[in-house]
Amino acid sequence: MIGLIGGMSWESSAEYYRILNEGVRNRLGPTASARCLLWSFDFSEIERLQHEGDWAALTARMIDAARRLEAAGAEVLLICTNTMHRMAADVQAAVTIPLLHIVDPTAARVTAAGVRKVGLLGTAFTMEQDFYKGRLRDAHGLDVIVPNARDRAEVHRIIYDELVAGKVRSESRELYRQVIARLVADGAEGVILGCTEIMLLVQPGDSTVPLFDTTALHGQAAIELALES
C-alpha cells in the first residue's frame, strides 16, 4: 500500500495518481490499479507557511500526515512535492515505514543517462537551499547548477501563480525554454524538473538536453517498490 502525502498542489497529486494507476495496469493487466492512500493538504495553508518561512509548523504537519497514513496501513511513503523534501529526514524519523525520497530515483536516472552536470529547476526553496542540491551532490556525486537570480524568480513565480492553479500558458513555456537554454549554455548536460508541477508545462521537445521529470520518476520508483513487496 502506497501512502501519498499530497495536495501540494493537487494538480501534481492528480498526476501521481494517474502515473501509479497506469503503471500498475501496464504491469498487472487492464483491470489492475494501485493500492494507495492519499492525505491531501489545503495548499493555500502550506504555501502561506512556506513563504513565511515557518518550516517548523510545516514539519509538524508533514509528520502528522505521515503517521496517519502509516496508521491507515501504508507500507511506503511518498511526499508528492520536491520542496517539502526539506523535512524528509524528520518525516522518516517519525515513522517505521520507508520514505521513498524523490531525489534518489531522479539521480539514478540522471546517472544512468551519463549526465554528471545537471541543471535544476524548481521553487526558489528547492533551487536556493541545500536540502535538495546537497543530496544530489553528496549522495549521488552530481554537479548541480541553478538559474541566475532573475530566472529563479521567474521560474518560482510561474509555479506559484500559474501551475499550482492549473494555468498552463504558452508565454511561460517559452520563458522556461529560455531558462533551460541558459542552463545548457552554462554546461548543463541535462535538466531536472525539480517541481512536480513543471511537467504540466515543459516537455522533452522544449530542451536540447534530456529532461528528468521528478513526478514520473518518483511514481515509477514507487510502483517498483510496491510490486516487489
Side-chain angles (χ1 to χ4, degrees):
M1 181 83 73
I2 301 169
L4 305 168
I5 305 178
M8 301 174 286
S9 68
W10 74 257
E11 294 283 346
S12 60
S13 298
E15 292 300 314
Y16 269 92
Y17 189 70
R18 178 188 60 79
I19 290 165
L20 292 175
N21 281 291
E22 286 183 353
V24 170
R25 181 176 63 193
N26 291 339
R27 289 283 297 274
L28 300 182
T31 63
S33 53
R35 297 176 65 245
C36 59
L37 299 166
L38 170 64
W39 179 271
S40 189
F41 281 102
D42 174 359
F43 188 59
S44 64
E45 177 187 8
I46 300 298
E47 184 269 342
R48 175 180 59 81
L49 291 170
Q50 286 176 340
H51 285 97
E52 289 174 356
D54 195 346
W55 298 102
L58 288 164
T59 299
R61 284 163 173 75
M62 295 291 287
I63 287 173
D64 177 67
R67 286 174 170 165
R68 289 173 184 268
L69 288 168
E70 182 176 30
E75 299 161 306
V76 62
L77 284 177
L78 272 66
I79 299 174
C80 301
T81 161
N82 288 271
T83 297
M84 298 299 277
H85 278 74
R86 188 182 193 276
M87 59 279 298
D90 294 312
V91 173
Q92 179 64 90
V95 295
T96 62
I97 58 177
L99 170 70
L100 179 58
H101 199 294
I102 198 168
V103 163
D104 296 336
T106 300
R109 186 64 62 88
V110 171
T111 300
V115 171
R116 304 307 303 169
K117 188 171 186 178
V118 66
L120 174 63
L121 299 179
T123 67
F125 313 112
T126 299
M127 291 186 289
E128 295 172 3
Q129 298 177 17
D130 200 51
F131 69 91
Y132 200 95
K133 294 182 293 183
R135 191 177 184 97
L136 288 167
R137 180 188 64 241
D138 299 337
H140 298 283
L142 295 173
D143 183 6
V144 184
I145 61 174
V146 298
N148 62 45
R150 182 176 179 179
D151 284 349
R152 292 198 304 272
E154 283 298 288
V155 167
H156 181 90
R157 178 191 62 78
I158 288 167
I159 291 168
Y160 280 92
D161 291 353
E162 299 176 17
L163 299 182
V164 300
K167 299 175 183 177
V168 178
R169 294 175 172 163
S170 58
E171 57 268 32
S172 297
R173 180 177 295 109
E174 179 57 30
L175 188 147
Y176 268 61
R177 286 173 177 163
Q178 294 172 13
V179 173
I180 290 169
R182 283 190 280 276
L183 287 172
V184 173
D186 288 339
E189 302 162 346
V191 175
I192 293 172
L193 306 183
C195 171
T196 52
E197 281 82 25
I198 295 178
M199 53 90 76
L200 302 172
L201 181 67
V202 176
Q203 301 297 321
D206 295 314
S207 172
T208 59
V209 298
L211 298 178
F212 300 93
D213 173 13
T214 55
T215 309
L217 294 171
H218 202 200
Q220 291 161 8
I223 292 168
E224 295 299 324
L225 188 60
L227 293 181
E228 287 173 3
S229 59

